Structures are given as C-alpha cells and as structure tokens.
Amino acid sequence: MTPINIPEWQSLVRHYSDLKYVSMREQFALESDRVHDFSIKSGDLLLDYSKNRVTRETMSKLVALAESVDMTDWIERMFTGEAINNTENRAVLHTALRNRGNSPVMVDGEDVMPLINAVLKQMKDFCNSVHSGQWLGFTDKKITDIVNIGIGGSDLGPAMICDALEPYGIDGMSVHFVSNVDGTDLSTSLEKLNPETTLFVVASKTFTTQETLTNAESARAWFLKAGAQQDVAKHFVAVSTNAEAVAAFGIDTANMFEIWDWVGGRYSLWSAIGLPIALYAGMDNFERLLDGGHEMDNHFRTQPLAENMPVIMGLLGVWYINFFGSATQAIVPYDHSLARFPNHMQQLDMESNGKVTNREGQRLSYKTGPVIWGTPGTNGQHAYFQLIHQGTQLIPVDFVLPVNSHYPDLDHQSILLANGLAQSEALMKGKNAEEVREELVKEGYEGKELEGLLPHKVFPGNRPSNTLLFPKLTPEMLGQLVALYEHKVFVQGTIWNINSFDQWGVELGKQLAKAILPDIQNSGKVAVHDSSTTNLIKLIRELRLK
Ligand code: F6P
C-alpha cells in the first residue's frame, strides 16, 4: 500500500495548494468557535490544536485519510496482540502492561495478563522489602541508592519518569542512571556512592548490549573492592528477557524481573524496566503511572478518529511533514522536571518511524518520521526560538503546560505559563510590517533608520503549534502524556505503511563497532576499512596514552 496514491492523499495535495497561504490569524478573527472545534479532552488533559494551519475541511480530509488506511482496524490489531511487528513476527503489547482492567490479552493462544500481574507482584514485593529495610546490603545497611544500568529504552524512559516524579520520591532514596559506555558516566556516578547501600538494576531486554554489559561488569568490579562475591546477589538485580545471559553474568535469576519480546525497548518503561521508578517513587506511584497510560489507551481505542487525541496529533504531523515539507518537530515542556521528556520522545519517535522501507519491503518515495527535539521552556526561548519564529523552516511545536507547580511556594508559575502561551500566540500571529512600523514610530524611529530596521522586526507568523494543558504533573498525567505520544507515533507509522516497531537501522553501527574494537585495542595490522576510518584508527593509536 502506497498512501500517496490513494484518492484521500491526492485530495489533500490539492487542498494544500488552496490552503498554504491561508492565515491562521485571519481564521481566528473570523471563527469565534475555532478553539471549541479544534480541541479534544481526555480526562484532565486538553489538546488545543486550533493554532494549526487547518480548516474544518482539512481535518475531515485528514480523518478520511486515516479511515482509508483502516486506522481503527490497525489500532484493534495492536491491542489484541496480533503480530503487527511483521519483520520480527512479534505482537506489540505495551498496552497490555498497563491494562488495568485486566481483561485477557492473547498472544499465540495464551493470555499474557497473568504473566504481567505476576511480575507486577514481584516488583511490589521487592520494593516493599527494599523500602521497609527487610532487604539489606551486605553490611546490613538499608539501600539508599538505586543505579540503573541500561541504555536506549532501558534508560531514557525510566530516567525521564524518575526526574518528573521527583516530588513523589521516597525519603532517603536516590536514583541514578548510567547509560553511556564512556567511562565518565559510570565513574562520576560511583564517585558519590557507597557500595554498602547501593543497589544496581541491570536493565537490558536482550542482555547482549555492549554498553550495558560493560558498565555492569565495571560496576561489579567496583562493588567487589568492598564486598565479596557472595554479596553480589544483595546488590545486583536484573530486568531482561534473557535468563540465561543474566545467570551467565552472575546475577541470581531469582532476582531477575522478566520482560517479554512483545515489549519494544522504547515502549518498555511500563514493564519491569520501570523498576527504578517503583524503587524511587514507590510501587503505588508506578501503578498510578500505569493507570494514566491505560486511560489514554481507552481513549485511543474507543474515541472516533475525529475526536481521538493521538490520531489528530499524528495526522497534523503528517500534514506538516508530507505536505508542508517540515523536517523537524519541537516538543517544549514548560516544566523543568520534564527536561528529559523530549529525549525519550526522540527515541520513541525516531527509532520507530525513521524508516525508508514500507511493510512490504519496498523503498518509500515519501517522507516518514521527523527529527524530534526540544528542551524545557523558558530556556529554549533564549536559545533556539529565534529560528522557530523567524527562520526559513516550518517547525511545528508542541507546548506541554502544567497549570500548577509542585513547588507553589515560589511564585514563578504565572511567569512560566505566560511565557508558554506567549510563544504559541507569537508563532501564530507573527507581527506584520504595519505593526512594526507603528511600534518603531512610537519608539521615536524615523526615516532611513526606521526603514532599515523594519524588515528585521517582522515576524512571518502562521507557524503551527499544539498546546497540551493539564492541572498538574501527577503520575497519572505523566502516564497519559507518554501513552499519547506512543500512539501518535503508531498513527503516523500506520499512515506511512511502515513497521514502527523494529529498529534494524541501529544494527550496522553495532556490527562495525565490534569489528573496529580490536583495531583500537591491538597494535597489529589494521583490518581493511575505508581510508578515512583506517587513518583515524592509526591516529587514535598514536594519540592514546595507554
Ligand atoms: O540499539 C537500539 C536498542 O536495541 C533499543 O531499541 C533498545 O532500547 C536499546 O538498544 C537497549 O537494548 P537492551 O534493552 O536490549 O539493552
């Protein structure tokens, strides 16, 4: 299936040529009910998508496109455990991990809910014993520090959630995330820690990831400078699908928390990969996160496409990427504790939809996933917003705005919110030449000086954004937000007819790194590479101190 050939896509191509010069500013002036028509609520979460380059006609054409690719059917296929990850012949069931209704979810004739519930129970018991002090370190001291060793999906999601749940952190418990194989990451984390009170969670779906295993081995060596081999069991637990490799590493499989091949790495924070979250913020709060994810799942599965938040966000993305030619999408949370939210979204989206081949293995002739990036507001305003306002590229922005802070004593929230709203208003409205002229005249400019400055102060405007507004960043809300973006990615993958759940594109680099490693470590003849790589290897050998 090639979406660009279907009539609904072609109709959007024609519609785009009519609409590309329509100004949102004028639309707002003419349409008093624009906000009402272009917003959706799911529980306490509001999506205001009125500041987009769309009309009612655009939205109905986009929804028709979603219908034409059988979106509702695909959603159901995912939820019911069909092997929609066709290149790995796997189901895609992160939604089952947060299936709080506990209705059966079948994979190959087996209901996976009992498996999921058993691991949740194991996590709960483990967290209780660590928090109560029943589980003690090798010198009978309470665990105070959790170090998660993992990378990609086994790091970014849980790290982002732990940051965001800082107000819910259990007293006396700290959490650290080590991902990079650069020794700086592990060394600087261990520097501050006491092996007697540190618990390592080695998190790797495959338990073959070079970076994670290298860091885990070095962490164990660090631990063994203080403790003995038999003490390792009290300080190392694992999360994985691969019991054999966990045992081979020396972790007691009784202390292993299982995940399954139908949980994609970047979708795994809801599984035992979320163990550091539960250890840090408590199992209750982890379950509240699952509840939020489940609420969004229900919305996604039951709401009509035109009132379905992930569907609408996904379609708007397609509108900009495939019709306006946007290459990137900024996600800007106006909440400092969501600093790592864009990083998690980056892996989620780019590893899922960074594809050039369709489900049937044919090379694509249209664009797929955008570059996802962002940092918290207001910091971004003083860094890259210049380009979003006046640069030559169209960069849609998602503003993520909690109304209330967890730190209300400092009366900063109104300023933060005012800035977030001001950015989206400025992007939409811009500032035209007459307005700039009026301002400059008021400021006392005239003549050549005024004419010279004027064009630089014009803002083109008509730049799209979504606003996601909610009362407060609770665990439930965080769950809703992450699930919203997961489903948005799936919606876009479905429109583009790609498999959003494999990631073959990361394999080549891994293979080549393995081949280059001996050339870096040894002094013999360098294996055959391209001349640039060979030259760089030789230079590295010369420059290395040991
Ligand atoms: O290299 C990409 C990747 O496979 C991601 O998809 C995954 O999240 C990450 O590596 C870590 O993998 P693992 O959990 O198996 O160590």
Side-chain angles (χ1 to χ4, degrees):
M1 193 273 292
T2 302
I4 59 173
N5 294 336
I6 60 182
E8 286 78 4
W9 186 289
Q10 289 306 319
S11 160
L12 279 160
V13 171
R14 290 188 295 277
H15 179 66
Y16 168 71
S17 20
D18 298 340
L19 190 102
K20 65 182 170 197
Y21 300 113
V22 170
S23 128
M24 280 194 271
R25 195 174 182 173
E26 280 166 24
Q27 287 174 308
F28 268 100
L30 295 171
E31 301 164 13
S32 55
D33 51 356
R34 191 169 168 86
V35 176
H36 175 257
D37 285 4
F38 296 136
S39 53
I40 301 177
K41 262 200 111 179
S42 168
D44 282 341
L45 177 63
L46 171 80
L47 165 68
D48 174 350
Y49 64 97
S50 60
K51 295 190 186 87
N52 276 289
R53 306 269 294 265
V54 294
T55 60
R56 280 159 198 76
E57 193 187 352
T58 322
M59 292 318 299
S60 66
K61 284 182 186 295
L62 284 168
V63 169
L65 176 66
E67 279 162 359
S68 73
V69 299
D70 298 328
M71 188 65 71
T72 310
D73 195 36
W74 275 103
I75 295 172
E76 220 32 44
R77 290 165 76 178
M78 177 173 73
F79 275 94
T80 52
E82 202 178 298
I84 59 169
N85 175 355
N86 62 323
T87 61
E88 297 178 301
N89 194 26
R90 287 179 186 164
V92 174
L93 278 178
H94 44 285
T95 52
L97 300 168
R98 54 199 190 216
N99 173 19
R100 310 299 284 161
N102 209 23
S103 52
V105 180
M106 309 303 284
V107 177
D108 298 329
E110 188 194 3
D111 179 10
V112 295
M113 289 316 297
L115 302 176
I116 292 169
N117 292 332
V119 175
L120 283 172
K121 163 104 180 31
Q122 188 195 1
M123 288 170 70
K124 190 176 199 154
D125 292 346
F126 182 63
C127 289
N128 282 343
S129 69
V130 170
H131 295 148
S132 66
Q134 204 187 325
W135 180 290
L136 295 171
F138 72 100
T139 55
D140 286 342
K141 290 190 178 147
K142 255 186 111 171
I143 299 297
T144 57
D145 290 88
I146 308 298
V147 179
N148 188 81
I149 299 182
I151 197 164
S154 302
D155 166 77
L156 288 164
M160 177 276 284
I161 301 281
C162 285
D163 279 357
L165 294 187
E166 190 273 336
Y168 299 83
I170 287 177
D171 279 347
M173 188 62 85
S174 301
V175 67
H176 315 263
F177 286 84
V178 173
S179 54
N180 201 330
V181 76
D182 178 346
T184 312
D185 198 2
L186 183 67
S187 305
T188 53
S189 301
L190 295 182
E191 242 163 45
K192 299 167 252 165
L193 298 175
N194 175 357
E196 295 168 81
T197 54
T198 300
L199 177 75
F200 292 93
V201 178
V202 185
S204 175
K205 180 177 163 182
T206 54
F207 230 76
T208 57
T209 304
Q210 188 186 41
E211 293 93 327
T212 300
L213 294 188
T214 306
N215 276 324
E217 273 159 21
S218 300
R220 186 176 47 191
W222 172 84
F223 173 79
L224 287 174
K225 284 189 203 150
Q229 187 60 44
Q230 74 267 18
D231 302 325
V232 168
K234 292 181 174 161
H235 292 267
F236 283 78
V237 300
V239 182
S240 189
T241 53
N242 189 346
E244 220 177 291
V246 168
F249 179 84
I251 294 179
D252 186 348
T253 47
N255 299 332
M256 175 182 138
F257 297 80
E258 195 181 3
I259 54 170
W260 306 274
D261 67 0
W262 38 261
V263 182
R266 52 199 174 273
Y267 299 87
S268 65
L269 67 87
W270 318 94
S271 69
I273 290 289
L275 184 62
I277 305 170
L279 284 166
Y280 173 61
M283 194 64 192
D284 293 357
N285 286 318
F286 182 69
E287 287 177 350
R288 288 175 65 189
L289 181 82
L290 301 184
D291 290 342
H294 183 57
E295 189 173 344
M296 182 51 71
D297 291 344
N298 283 340
H299 171 97
F300 185 48
R301 203 172 174 182
T302 59
Q303 288 306 296
L305 299 181
E307 290 149 43
N308 193 312
M309 209 181 272
V311 171
I312 294 300
M313 281 178 67
L315 289 171
L316 288 167
V318 167
W319 183 227
Y320 296 119
I321 294 161
N322 297 107
F323 298 87
F324 285 79
S326 289
T328 89
Q329 158 83 57
I331 301 179
V332 185
Y334 276 68
D335 184 317
H336 204 74
S337 74
L338 285 177
R340 292 204 244 195
F341 189 75
N343 300 14
H344 175 56
M345 292 305 143
Q346 193 172 65
Q347 186 201 10
L348 173 65
D349 202 319
M350 295 171 74
E351 198 165 79
S352 297
N353 285 345
K355 305 286 162 67
V356 73
T357 313
N358 71 9
R359 293 182 151 271
E360 292 79 40
Q362 291 145 345
R363 181 101 183 179
L364 301 179
S365 57
Y366 46 90
K367 283 199 195 174
T368 58
V371 174
I372 301 288
W373 59 285
T375 58
T378 62
N379 295 7
Q381 292 173 206
H382 299 273
Y384 51 78
F385 262 78
Q386 165 64 34
L387 187 142
I388 304 183
H389 284 292
Q390 285 191 313
T392 50
Q393 305 183 41
L394 187 77
I395 302 176
V397 184
D398 285 351
F399 291 95
V400 180
L401 298 184
V403 176
N404 297 293
S405 168
H406 282 288
Y407 298 95
D409 292 353
L410 292 178
D411 193 16
H412 293 193
Q413 195 67 6
S414 312
I415 300 175
L416 183 72
L417 289 166
N419 272 281
L421 295 184
Q423 290 303 315
S424 66
E425 190 176 26
L427 286 169
M428 183 274 285
K429 274 189 175 165
K431 197 190 277 184
N432 62 30
E434 292 88 83
E435 288 163 333
V436 176
R437 183 177 300 281
E438 213 173 289
E439 256 182 34
L440 289 176
V441 169
K442 272 196 198 136
E443 287 166 25
Y445 285 92
E446 56 186 11
K448 256 191 168 171
E449 208 186 353
L450 183 149
E451 297 305 331
L453 193 52
L454 189 143
H456 301 281
K457 296 198 118 191
V458 169
F459 284 54
N462 224 14
R463 304 205 165 193
S465 67
N466 290 319
T467 301
L468 287 161
L469 189 84
F470 47 92
K472 200 170 185 171
L473 191 63
T474 58
E476 292 87 347
M477 186 48 68
L478 198 51
Q480 280 209 59
L481 279 172
V482 177
L484 164 64
Y485 278 92
E486 288 177 351
H487 293 324
K488 174 203 141 168
V489 166
F490 176 55
V491 165
Q492 295 189 334
T494 304
I495 300 277
W496 291 322
N497 188 28
I498 56 178
N499 176 6
S500 300
F501 301 105
D502 61 12
Q503 59 285 317
W504 301 108
V506 295
E507 295 305 320
L508 178 59
K510 289 184 194 172
Q511 277 169 15
L512 294 182
K514 284 201 180 119
I516 291 172
L517 184 59
D519 285 336
I520 302 263
Q521 284 173 330
N522 305 332
S523 53
K525 199 167 177 297
V526 176
V528 179
H529 302 283
D530 62 88
S531 59
S532 159
T533 307
T534 304
N535 189 47
L536 290 167
I537 291 170
K538 286 182 179 159
L539 273 173
I540 288 170
R541 283 183 177 185
E542 275 168 40
L543 292 169
R544 272 194 97 161
L545 298 177
K546 64 165 193 143

PDB file of all heavy atoms in Angstrom, residues 133-154:
ATOM      1  N   GLY A 133      13.316  -2.100  54.599  1.00  0.00           N
ATOM      2  CA  GLY A 133      14.595  -2.441  55.233  1.00  0.00           C
ATOM      3  C   GLY A 133      14.734  -3.934  55.473  1.00  0.00           C
ATOM      4  O   GLY A 133      15.687  -4.396  56.091  1.00  0.00           O
ATOM      5  N   GLN A 134      13.772  -4.685  54.923  1.00  0.00           N
ATOM      6  CA  GLN A 134      13.906  -6.145  55.011  1.00  0.00           C
ATOM      7  C   GLN A 134      15.056  -6.612  54.114  1.00  0.00           C
ATOM      8  O   GLN A 134      15.787  -7.523  54.427  1.00  0.00           O
ATOM      9  CB  GLN A 134      12.578  -6.738  54.551  1.00  0.00           C
ATOM     10  CG  GLN A 134      12.292  -8.112  55.077  1.00  0.00           C
ATOM     11  CD  GLN A 134      11.039  -8.624  54.387  1.00  0.00           C
ATOM     12  OE1 GLN A 134      10.105  -7.855  54.094  1.00  0.00           O
ATOM     13  NE2 GLN A 134      11.019  -9.904  54.106  1.00  0.00           N
ATOM     14  N   TRP A 135      15.162  -5.963  52.968  1.00  0.00           N
ATOM     15  CA  TRP A 135      16.276  -6.239  52.042  1.00  0.00           C
ATOM     16  C   TRP A 135      17.407  -5.296  52.436  1.00  0.00           C
ATOM     17  O   TRP A 135      17.263  -4.073  52.365  1.00  0.00           O
ATOM     18  CB  TRP A 135      15.827  -5.962  50.607  1.00  0.00           C
ATOM     19  CG  TRP A 135      16.885  -6.204  49.569  1.00  0.00           C
ATOM     20  CD1 TRP A 135      18.010  -5.470  49.355  1.00  0.00           C
ATOM     21  CD2 TRP A 135      16.916  -7.255  48.608  1.00  0.00           C
ATOM     22  NE1 TRP A 135      18.743  -5.987  48.336  1.00  0.00           N
ATOM     23  CE2 TRP A 135      18.089  -7.098  47.845  1.00  0.00           C
ATOM     24  CE3 TRP A 135      16.061  -8.320  48.307  1.00  0.00           C
ATOM     25  CZ2 TRP A 135      18.435  -7.947  46.800  1.00  0.00           C
ATOM     26  CZ3 TRP A 135      16.404  -9.165  47.259  1.00  0.00           C
ATOM     27  CH2 TRP A 135      17.572  -8.988  46.522  1.00  0.00           C
ATOM     28  N   LEU A 136      18.514  -5.882  52.881  1.00  0.00           N
ATOM     29  CA  LEU A 136      19.623  -5.038  53.344  1.00  0.00           C
ATOM     30  C   LEU A 136      20.864  -5.326  52.517  1.00  0.00           C
ATOM     31  O   LEU A 136      20.998  -6.389  51.904  1.00  0.00           O
ATOM     32  CB  LEU A 136      19.918  -5.328  54.822  1.00  0.00           C
ATOM     33  CG  LEU A 136      18.795  -4.955  55.805  1.00  0.00           C
ATOM     34  CD1 LEU A 136      19.112  -5.495  57.199  1.00  0.00           C
ATOM     35  CD2 LEU A 136      18.584  -3.441  55.864  1.00  0.00           C
ATOM     36  N   GLY A 137      21.783  -4.385  52.539  1.00  0.00           N
ATOM     37  CA  GLY A 137      23.051  -4.588  51.866  1.00  0.00           C
ATOM     38  C   GLY A 137      23.944  -5.537  52.656  1.00  0.00           C
ATOM     39  O   GLY A 137      23.559  -6.030  53.719  1.00  0.00           O
ATOM     40  N   PHE A 138      25.137  -5.795  52.134  1.00  0.00           N
ATOM     41  CA  PHE A 138      25.985  -6.853  52.734  1.00  0.00           C
ATOM     42  C   PHE A 138      26.510  -6.503  54.120  1.00  0.00           C
ATOM     43  O   PHE A 138      26.973  -7.380  54.844  1.00  0.00           O
ATOM     44  CB  PHE A 138      27.121  -7.236  51.784  1.00  0.00           C
ATOM     45  CG  PHE A 138      28.207  -6.200  51.640  1.00  0.00           C
ATOM     46  CD1 PHE A 138      29.404  -6.319  52.342  1.00  0.00           C
ATOM     47  CD2 PHE A 138      28.050  -5.121  50.792  1.00  0.00           C
ATOM     48  CE1 PHE A 138      30.416  -5.379  52.199  1.00  0.00           C
ATOM     49  CE2 PHE A 138      29.056  -4.178  50.648  1.00  0.00           C
ATOM     50  CZ  PHE A 138      30.231  -4.292  51.356  1.00  0.00           C
ATOM     51  N   THR A 139      26.411  -5.245  54.518  1.00  0.00           N
ATOM     52  CA  THR A 139      26.789  -4.909  55.902  1.00  0.00           C
ATOM     53  C   THR A 139      25.547  -4.570  56.726  1.00  0.00           C
ATOM     54  O   THR A 139      25.612  -3.838  57.716  1.00  0.00           O
ATOM     55  CB  THR A 139      27.773  -3.726  55.927  1.00  0.00           C
ATOM     56  OG1 THR A 139      27.161  -2.640  55.211  1.00  0.00           O
ATOM     57  CG2 THR A 139      29.112  -4.058  55.309  1.00  0.00           C
ATOM     58  N   ASP A 140      24.412  -5.086  56.260  1.00  0.00           N
ATOM     59  CA  ASP A 140      23.125  -4.917  56.956  1.00  0.00           C
ATOM     60  C   ASP A 140      22.649  -3.472  57.017  1.00  0.00           C
ATOM     61  O   ASP A 140      21.921  -3.096  57.946  1.00  0.00           O
ATOM     62  CB  ASP A 140      23.191  -5.517  58.381  1.00  0.00           C
ATOM     63  CG  ASP A 140      23.157  -7.029  58.328  1.00  0.00           C
ATOM     64  OD1 ASP A 140      22.752  -7.569  57.271  1.00  0.00           O
ATOM     65  OD2 ASP A 140      23.550  -7.663  59.309  1.00  0.00           O
ATOM     66  N   LYS A 141      23.073  -2.701  56.016  1.00  0.00           N
ATOM     67  CA  LYS A 141      22.551  -1.326  55.957  1.00  0.00           C
ATOM     68  C   LYS A 141      21.432  -1.259  54.928  1.00  0.00           C
ATOM     69  O   LYS A 141      21.418  -2.025  53.949  1.00  0.00           O
ATOM     70  CB  LYS A 141      23.670  -0.364  55.546  1.00  0.00           C
ATOM     71  CG  LYS A 141      24.720  -0.194  56.633  1.00  0.00           C
ATOM     72  CD  LYS A 141      25.661   0.937  56.285  1.00  0.00           C
ATOM     73  CE  LYS A 141      26.675   1.107  57.406  1.00  0.00           C
ATOM     74  NZ  LYS A 141      27.973   1.540  56.925  1.00  0.00           N
ATOM     75  N   LYS A 142      20.526  -0.295  55.120  1.00  0.00           N
ATOM     76  CA  LYS A 142      19.413  -0.099  54.175  1.00  0.00           C
ATOM     77  C   LYS A 142      19.930   0.428  52.839  1.00  0.00           C
ATOM     78  O   LYS A 142      20.900   1.192  52.810  1.00  0.00           O
ATOM     79  CB  LYS A 142      18.445   0.947  54.761  1.00  0.00           C
ATOM     80  CG  LYS A 142      17.171   0.352  55.314  1.00  0.00           C
ATOM     81  CD  LYS A 142      16.201   1.420  55.737  1.00  0.00           C
ATOM     82  CE  LYS A 142      15.008   1.441  54.803  1.00  0.00           C
ATOM     83  NZ  LYS A 142      13.922   2.292  55.241  1.00  0.00           N
ATOM     84  N   ILE A 143      19.254   0.045  51.779  1.00  0.00           N
ATOM     85  CA  ILE A 143      19.600   0.568  50.444  1.00  0.00           C
ATOM     86  C   ILE A 143      19.136   2.019  50.362  1.00  0.00           C
ATOM     87  O   ILE A 143      17.990   2.333  50.666  1.00  0.00           O
ATOM     88  CB  ILE A 143      18.908  -0.278  49.348  1.00  0.00           C
ATOM     89  CG1 ILE A 143      19.374  -1.740  49.393  1.00  0.00           C
ATOM     90  CG2 ILE A 143      19.109   0.339  47.955  1.00  0.00           C
ATOM     91  CD1 ILE A 143      20.846  -1.991  49.121  1.00  0.00           C
ATOM     92  N   THR A 144      20.055   2.880  49.927  1.00  0.00           N
ATOM     93  CA  THR A 144      19.713   4.307  49.791  1.00  0.00           C
ATOM     94  C   THR A 144      19.816   4.791  48.343  1.00  0.00           C
ATOM     95  O   THR A 144      19.292   5.847  48.002  1.00  0.00           O
ATOM     96  CB  THR A 144      20.664   5.179  50.629  1.00  0.00           C
ATOM     97  OG1 THR A 144      22.014   4.896  50.195  1.00  0.00           O
ATOM     98  CG2 THR A 144      20.530   4.915  52.120  1.00  0.00           C
ATOM     99  N   ASP A 145      20.552   4.026  47.512  1.00  0.00           N
ATOM    100  CA  ASP A 145      20.801   4.486  46.138  1.00  0.00           C
ATOM    101  C   ASP A 145      20.551   3.367  45.138  1.00  0.00           C
ATOM    102  O   ASP A 145      21.087   2.269  45.286  1.00  0.00           O
ATOM    103  CB  ASP A 145      22.246   4.971  45.984  1.00  0.00           C
ATOM    104  CG  ASP A 145      22.464   6.261  46.745  1.00  0.00           C
ATOM    105  OD1 ASP A 145      22.806   6.197  47.947  1.00  0.00           O
ATOM    106  OD2 ASP A 145      22.260   7.332  46.134  1.00  0.00           O
ATOM    107  N   ILE A 146      19.757   3.682  44.154  1.00  0.00           N
ATOM    108  CA  ILE A 146      19.496   2.740  43.053  1.00  0.00           C
ATOM    109  C   ILE A 146      20.300   3.246  41.858  1.00  0.00           C
ATOM    110  O   ILE A 146      20.205   4.423  41.500  1.00  0.00           O
ATOM    111  CB  ILE A 146      17.999   2.744  42.671  1.00  0.00           C
ATOM    112  CG1 ILE A 146      17.100   2.533  43.895  1.00  0.00           C
ATOM    113  CG2 ILE A 146      17.706   1.758  41.552  1.00  0.00           C
ATOM    114  CD1 ILE A 146      17.289   1.225  44.601  1.00  0.00           C
ATOM    115  N   VAL A 147      21.065   2.344  41.230  1.00  0.00           N
ATOM    116  CA  VAL A 147      21.764   2.722  39.996  1.00  0.00           C
ATOM    117  C   VAL A 147      21.202   1.859  38.873  1.00  0.00           C
ATOM    118  O   VAL A 147      21.369   0.631  38.889  1.00  0.00           O
ATOM    119  CB  VAL A 147      23.285   2.511  40.100  1.00  0.00           C
ATOM    120  CG1 VAL A 147      23.973   2.894  38.791  1.00  0.00           C
ATOM    121  CG2 VAL A 147      23.862   3.318  41.258  1.00  0.00           C
ATOM    122  N   ASN A 148      20.520   2.484  37.932  1.00  0.00           N
ATOM    123  CA  ASN A 148      20.021   1.744  36.777  1.00  0.00           C
ATOM    124  C   ASN A 148      21.101   1.750  35.706  1.00  0.00           C
ATOM    125  O   ASN A 148      21.574   2.808  35.296  1.00  0.00           O
ATOM    126  CB  ASN A 148      18.756   2.414  36.227  1.00  0.00           C
ATOM    127  CG  ASN A 148      18.085   1.579  35.149  1.00  0.00           C
ATOM    128  OD1 ASN A 148      17.355   0.645  35.468  1.00  0.00           O
ATOM    129  ND2 ASN A 148      18.333   1.893  33.883  1.00  0.00           N
ATOM    130  N   ILE A 149      21.491   0.557  35.285  1.00  0.00           N
ATOM    131  CA  ILE A 149      22.461   0.456  34.189  1.00  0.00           C
ATOM    132  C   ILE A 149      21.707  -0.078  32.977  1.00  0.00           C
ATOM    133  O   ILE A 149      21.243  -1.230  32.979  1.00  0.00           O
ATOM    134  CB  ILE A 149      23.639  -0.470  34.571  1.00  0.00           C
ATOM    135  CG1 ILE A 149      24.372   0.098  35.786  1.00  0.00           C
ATOM    136  CG2 ILE A 149      24.583  -0.649  33.391  1.00  0.00           C
ATOM    137  CD1 ILE A 149      25.578  -0.712  36.230  1.00  0.00           C
ATOM    138  N   GLY A 150      21.548   0.757  31.976  1.00  0.00           N
ATOM    139  CA  GLY A 150      20.816   0.365  30.775  1.00  0.00           C
ATOM    140  C   GLY A 150      21.020   1.467  29.742  1.00  0.00           C
ATOM    141  O   GLY A 150      21.615   2.506  30.049  1.00  0.00           O
ATOM    142  N   ILE A 151      20.539   1.251  28.545  1.00  0.00           N
ATOM    143  CA  ILE A 151      20.706   2.292  27.510  1.00  0.00           C
ATOM    144  C   ILE A 151      19.480   2.280  26.603  1.00  0.00           C
ATOM    145  O   ILE A 151      18.741   1.278  26.556  1.00  0.00           O
ATOM    146  CB  ILE A 151      22.032   2.064  26.729  1.00  0.00           C
ATOM    147  CG1 ILE A 151      22.449   3.321  25.960  1.00  0.00           C
ATOM    148  CG2 ILE A 151      21.943   0.871  25.799  1.00  0.00           C
ATOM    149  CD1 ILE A 151      23.906   3.319  25.492  1.00  0.00           C
ATOM    150  N   GLY A 152      19.263   3.372  25.884  1.00  0.00           N
ATOM    151  CA  GLY A 152      18.108   3.468  24.977  1.00  0.00           C
ATOM    152  C   GLY A 152      16.828   3.328  25.779  1.00  0.00           C
ATOM    153  O   GLY A 152      16.642   3.975  26.814  1.00  0.00           O
ATOM    154  N   GLY A 153      15.964   2.432  25.335  1.00  0.00           N
ATOM    155  CA  GLY A 153      14.686   2.240  26.016  1.00  0.00           C
ATOM    156  C   GLY A 153      14.841   1.726  27.432  1.00  0.00           C
ATOM    157  O   GLY A 153      13.931   1.854  28.244  1.00  0.00           O
ATOM    158  N   SER A 154      15.978   1.142  27.740  1.00  0.00           N
ATOM    159  CA  SER A 154      16.202   0.642  29.099  1.00  0.00           C
ATOM    160  C   SER A 154      16.804   1.727  29.995  1.00  0.00           C
ATOM    161  O   SER A 154      17.303   1.426  31.086  1.00  0.00           O
ATOM    162  CB  SER A 154      17.114  -0.590  29.040  1.00  0.00           C
ATOM    163  OG  SER A 154      16.526  -1.576  28.230  1.00  0.00           O
TER     164      SER A 154
END
